[in-house]
Amino acid sequence: MPEYCVTGGTGFIAAYLIKSLLDKGHTVRATVRDPGDSEKVGFLREFNGAKERLKILKADLLVEGSFDEAIQGVDGVFHTASPVIVSYDDNVQATLIDPCIKGTLNVLSSCTKATSVKRVVLTSSCSSIRYRYDVQQVCPLNESHWSDTDYCKRYNLWYAYAKTIGETEAWRIAKESGIDLVVVNPSFVVGPLLAPQPTSTLHLILSIVKGSLGQYPNTTVGFVHIDDVIAAHILAMEDSRASGRLVCSSSVAHWSEIIEMLRAKYPSYPYENKCSSQEGDNNPHSMDTTKITQLGFPPFRTLEQMFDDCIKSFQDKGFL
């Protein structure tokens, strides 16, 4: 049974991935910034099989060599660790761009040292695909499309900028060092809460439903259920036919449409009713998932399913 390393263990995707791998009987090494922070990390130790088969190790995206120990001897690495920041402060370079780009370099450099690693699966994003001046002309967007970093800079889309450069660098290193790299490009990930507190993407949904943000994002984006994202990562690791990039996205919608859908079903919440004036992120587009479907991937779950699961978990955990 292969042993895997998952970076950024407390993240939304990483935590689900660890749970799923443990459920399948794998031994897992998870990296976190502070293994001693039981408030943040404790829930990982509760997973079935965690006692016997989960090791939690300290690693920092910005520290060279800090992933060596976690990666040495494993068969595959899922590099999911990357900051997701929904609101930007002044120091976007230090909080977002450096961890995303330097982190990718550090993790892949540890992978090149570990002869045991057969494949690396990187969690990128549709953000490294869909930000372009000609987005409507080239739709539907597929794995061959890349975001334009000048476009990202012009509209202050720093998350997309970091993800695009981070992924480009990952492909460069993989090519130079002969790493078998497969990249999953999920859109906006939605689903039930697993950690004790909502991570940034779920926090955004919660704030929109509670009307505590002041406005909702002027964003047209693909959404995808967390279960589909996890299945895509496991397929990317385990299916020898998987290669290159894999778009992982269900329906595309504007946040105003999501609010409308939720309001019809859960009318008692206040919801945001003012749209942000931000530009550059509201281009209608569509995502082509032919490539992953041809590998036998089942139909993606619907917007209704993913948001129902998300709202229900907020209710169950007392956030709504």
Side-chain angles (χ1 to χ4, degrees), residues 48-63:
N48 285 340
K51 215 187 216 113
E52 302 76 34
R53 290 179 281 106
L54 176 64
K55 267 194 206 126
I56 299 176
L57 298 152
K58 181 183 173 67
D60 186 320
L61 289 171
L62 296 174
V63 178

PDB file of all heavy atoms in Angstrom, residues 48-63:
ATOM      1  N   ASN A  48     -10.579   8.169  11.377  1.00  0.00           N
ATOM      2  CA  ASN A  48     -10.410   6.713  11.461  1.00  0.00           C
ATOM      3  C   ASN A  48      -9.042   6.325  10.926  1.00  0.00           C
ATOM      4  O   ASN A  48      -8.681   6.723   9.820  1.00  0.00           O
ATOM      5  CB  ASN A  48     -11.483   6.008  10.614  1.00  0.00           C
ATOM      6  CG  ASN A  48     -12.825   6.061  11.310  1.00  0.00           C
ATOM      7  OD1 ASN A  48     -12.884   6.267  12.524  1.00  0.00           O
ATOM      8  ND2 ASN A  48     -13.894   5.899  10.558  1.00  0.00           N
ATOM      9  N   GLY A  49      -8.298   5.566  11.714  1.00  0.00           N
ATOM     10  CA  GLY A  49      -6.987   5.082  11.265  1.00  0.00           C
ATOM     11  C   GLY A  49      -5.851   6.052  11.537  1.00  0.00           C
ATOM     12  O   GLY A  49      -4.687   5.736  11.301  1.00  0.00           O
ATOM     13  N   ALA A  50      -6.192   7.263  12.039  1.00  0.00           N
ATOM     14  CA  ALA A  50      -5.144   8.275  12.252  1.00  0.00           C
ATOM     15  C   ALA A  50      -4.127   7.826  13.290  1.00  0.00           C
ATOM     16  O   ALA A  50      -2.925   8.047  13.151  1.00  0.00           O
ATOM     17  CB  ALA A  50      -5.777   9.605  12.669  1.00  0.00           C
ATOM     18  N   LYS A  51      -4.628   7.173  14.349  1.00  0.00           N
ATOM     19  CA  LYS A  51      -3.739   6.745  15.437  1.00  0.00           C
ATOM     20  C   LYS A  51      -2.617   5.846  14.908  1.00  0.00           C
ATOM     21  O   LYS A  51      -1.460   6.001  15.271  1.00  0.00           O
ATOM     22  CB  LYS A  51      -4.576   5.987  16.471  1.00  0.00           C
ATOM     23  CG  LYS A  51      -4.097   6.214  17.890  1.00  0.00           C
ATOM     24  CD  LYS A  51      -4.835   5.304  18.859  1.00  0.00           C
ATOM     25  CE  LYS A  51      -5.081   6.016  20.156  1.00  0.00           C
ATOM     26  NZ  LYS A  51      -6.483   6.275  20.429  1.00  0.00           N
ATOM     27  N   GLU A  52      -2.997   4.940  14.032  1.00  0.00           N
ATOM     28  CA  GLU A  52      -2.019   3.956  13.534  1.00  0.00           C
ATOM     29  C   GLU A  52      -1.233   4.470  12.320  1.00  0.00           C
ATOM     30  O   GLU A  52      -0.073   4.126  12.140  1.00  0.00           O
ATOM     31  CB  GLU A  52      -2.724   2.656  13.101  1.00  0.00           C
ATOM     32  CG  GLU A  52      -3.545   1.953  14.169  1.00  0.00           C
ATOM     33  CD  GLU A  52      -4.883   2.644  14.447  1.00  0.00           C
ATOM     34  OE1 GLU A  52      -5.501   3.203  13.509  1.00  0.00           O
ATOM     35  OE2 GLU A  52      -5.296   2.637  15.631  1.00  0.00           O
ATOM     36  N   ARG A  53      -1.887   5.284  11.460  1.00  0.00           N
ATOM     37  CA  ARG A  53      -1.284   5.529  10.144  1.00  0.00           C
ATOM     38  C   ARG A  53      -1.105   6.994   9.749  1.00  0.00           C
ATOM     39  O   ARG A  53      -0.798   7.272   8.599  1.00  0.00           O
ATOM     40  CB  ARG A  53      -2.120   4.801   9.073  1.00  0.00           C
ATOM     41  CG  ARG A  53      -1.991   3.287   9.140  1.00  0.00           C
ATOM     42  CD  ARG A  53      -2.834   2.566   8.119  1.00  0.00           C
ATOM     43  NE  ARG A  53      -4.234   2.472   8.523  1.00  0.00           N
ATOM     44  CZ  ARG A  53      -5.212   3.192   8.000  1.00  0.00           C
ATOM     45  NH1 ARG A  53      -4.966   4.036   7.026  1.00  0.00           N
ATOM     46  NH2 ARG A  53      -6.454   3.046   8.427  1.00  0.00           N
ATOM     47  N   LEU A  54      -1.305   7.917  10.698  1.00  0.00           N
ATOM     48  CA  LEU A  54      -1.095   9.332  10.354  1.00  0.00           C
ATOM     49  C   LEU A  54       0.051   9.917  11.175  1.00  0.00           C
ATOM     50  O   LEU A  54       0.046   9.839  12.393  1.00  0.00           O
ATOM     51  CB  LEU A  54      -2.369  10.150  10.616  1.00  0.00           C
ATOM     52  CG  LEU A  54      -2.237  11.667  10.394  1.00  0.00           C
ATOM     53  CD1 LEU A  54      -1.940  11.994   8.929  1.00  0.00           C
ATOM     54  CD2 LEU A  54      -3.494  12.404  10.848  1.00  0.00           C
ATOM     55  N   LYS A  55       1.021  10.488  10.467  1.00  0.00           N
ATOM     56  CA  LYS A  55       2.109  11.204  11.142  1.00  0.00           C
ATOM     57  C   LYS A  55       1.965  12.676  10.790  1.00  0.00           C
ATOM     58  O   LYS A  55       1.839  13.024   9.607  1.00  0.00           O
ATOM     59  CB  LYS A  55       3.463  10.730  10.583  1.00  0.00           C
ATOM     60  CG  LYS A  55       4.089   9.608  11.348  1.00  0.00           C
ATOM     61  CD  LYS A  55       5.558   9.482  10.917  1.00  0.00           C
ATOM     62  CE  LYS A  55       6.036   8.057  11.149  1.00  0.00           C
ATOM     63  NZ  LYS A  55       6.613   7.445   9.969  1.00  0.00           N
ATOM     64  N   ILE A  56       2.007  13.537  11.816  1.00  0.00           N
ATOM     65  CA  ILE A  56       1.906  14.975  11.553  1.00  0.00           C
ATOM     66  C   ILE A  56       3.269  15.608  11.800  1.00  0.00           C
ATOM     67  O   ILE A  56       3.835  15.491  12.891  1.00  0.00           O
ATOM     68  CB  ILE A  56       0.807  15.616  12.431  1.00  0.00           C
ATOM     69  CG1 ILE A  56      -0.541  14.976  12.090  1.00  0.00           C
ATOM     70  CG2 ILE A  56       0.756  17.124  12.206  1.00  0.00           C
ATOM     71  CD1 ILE A  56      -1.711  15.437  12.928  1.00  0.00           C
ATOM     72  N   LEU A  57       3.810  16.236  10.760  1.00  0.00           N
ATOM     73  CA  LEU A  57       5.172  16.771  10.823  1.00  0.00           C
ATOM     74  C   LEU A  57       5.185  18.270  10.572  1.00  0.00           C
ATOM     75  O   LEU A  57       4.348  18.794   9.836  1.00  0.00           O
ATOM     76  CB  LEU A  57       6.044  16.083   9.767  1.00  0.00           C
ATOM     77  CG  LEU A  57       6.196  14.565   9.946  1.00  0.00           C
ATOM     78  CD1 LEU A  57       6.431  13.901   8.619  1.00  0.00           C
ATOM     79  CD2 LEU A  57       7.344  14.262  10.886  1.00  0.00           C
ATOM     80  N   LYS A  58       6.170  18.929  11.150  1.00  0.00           N
ATOM     81  CA  LYS A  58       6.289  20.381  10.999  1.00  0.00           C
ATOM     82  C   LYS A  58       7.011  20.704   9.688  1.00  0.00           C
ATOM     83  O   LYS A  58       8.034  20.098   9.363  1.00  0.00           O
ATOM     84  CB  LYS A  58       7.085  20.939  12.178  1.00  0.00           C
ATOM     85  CG  LYS A  58       7.262  22.453  12.167  1.00  0.00           C
ATOM     86  CD  LYS A  58       8.142  22.865  13.348  1.00  0.00           C
ATOM     87  CE  LYS A  58       8.492  24.342  13.287  1.00  0.00           C
ATOM     88  NZ  LYS A  58       7.343  25.236  13.482  1.00  0.00           N
ATOM     89  N   ALA A  59       6.465  21.657   8.933  1.00  0.00           N
ATOM     90  CA  ALA A  59       7.160  22.151   7.739  1.00  0.00           C
ATOM     91  C   ALA A  59       6.633  23.538   7.423  1.00  0.00           C
ATOM     92  O   ALA A  59       5.479  23.847   7.699  1.00  0.00           O
ATOM     93  CB  ALA A  59       6.930  21.218   6.553  1.00  0.00           C
ATOM     94  N   ASP A  60       7.496  24.355   6.854  1.00  0.00           N
ATOM     95  CA  ASP A  60       7.121  25.729   6.539  1.00  0.00           C
ATOM     96  C   ASP A  60       7.421  25.985   5.069  1.00  0.00           C
ATOM     97  O   ASP A  60       8.524  25.732   4.600  1.00  0.00           O
ATOM     98  CB  ASP A  60       7.946  26.677   7.429  1.00  0.00           C
ATOM     99  CG  ASP A  60       7.518  28.126   7.290  1.00  0.00           C
ATOM    100  OD1 ASP A  60       7.230  28.555   6.148  1.00  0.00           O
ATOM    101  OD2 ASP A  60       7.482  28.834   8.304  1.00  0.00           O
ATOM    102  N   LEU A  61       6.422  26.503   4.349  1.00  0.00           N
ATOM    103  CA  LEU A  61       6.580  26.740   2.912  1.00  0.00           C
ATOM    104  C   LEU A  61       7.794  27.601   2.579  1.00  0.00           C
ATOM    105  O   LEU A  61       8.406  27.447   1.526  1.00  0.00           O
ATOM    106  CB  LEU A  61       5.326  27.438   2.357  1.00  0.00           C
ATOM    107  CG  LEU A  61       4.057  26.581   2.274  1.00  0.00           C
ATOM    108  CD1 LEU A  61       2.857  27.448   1.927  1.00  0.00           C
ATOM    109  CD2 LEU A  61       4.201  25.457   1.258  1.00  0.00           C
ATOM    110  N   LEU A  62       8.140  28.517   3.494  1.00  0.00           N
ATOM    111  CA  LEU A  62       9.206  29.470   3.184  1.00  0.00           C
ATOM    112  C   LEU A  62      10.598  28.996   3.612  1.00  0.00           C
ATOM    113  O   LEU A  62      11.593  29.662   3.348  1.00  0.00           O
ATOM    114  CB  LEU A  62       8.905  30.826   3.832  1.00  0.00           C
ATOM    115  CG  LEU A  62       7.637  31.509   3.293  1.00  0.00           C
ATOM    116  CD1 LEU A  62       7.324  32.760   4.080  1.00  0.00           C
ATOM    117  CD2 LEU A  62       7.770  31.831   1.815  1.00  0.00           C
ATOM    118  N   VAL A  63      10.650  27.826   4.272  1.00  0.00           N
ATOM    119  CA  VAL A  63      11.953  27.354   4.767  1.00  0.00           C
ATOM    120  C   VAL A  63      12.478  26.221   3.888  1.00  0.00           C
ATOM    121  O   VAL A  63      11.871  25.157   3.787  1.00  0.00           O
ATOM    122  CB  VAL A  63      11.853  26.879   6.241  1.00  0.00           C
ATOM    123  CG1 VAL A  63      13.192  26.341   6.726  1.00  0.00           C
ATOM    124  CG2 VAL A  63      11.372  28.022   7.132  1.00  0.00           C
TER     125      VAL A  63
END
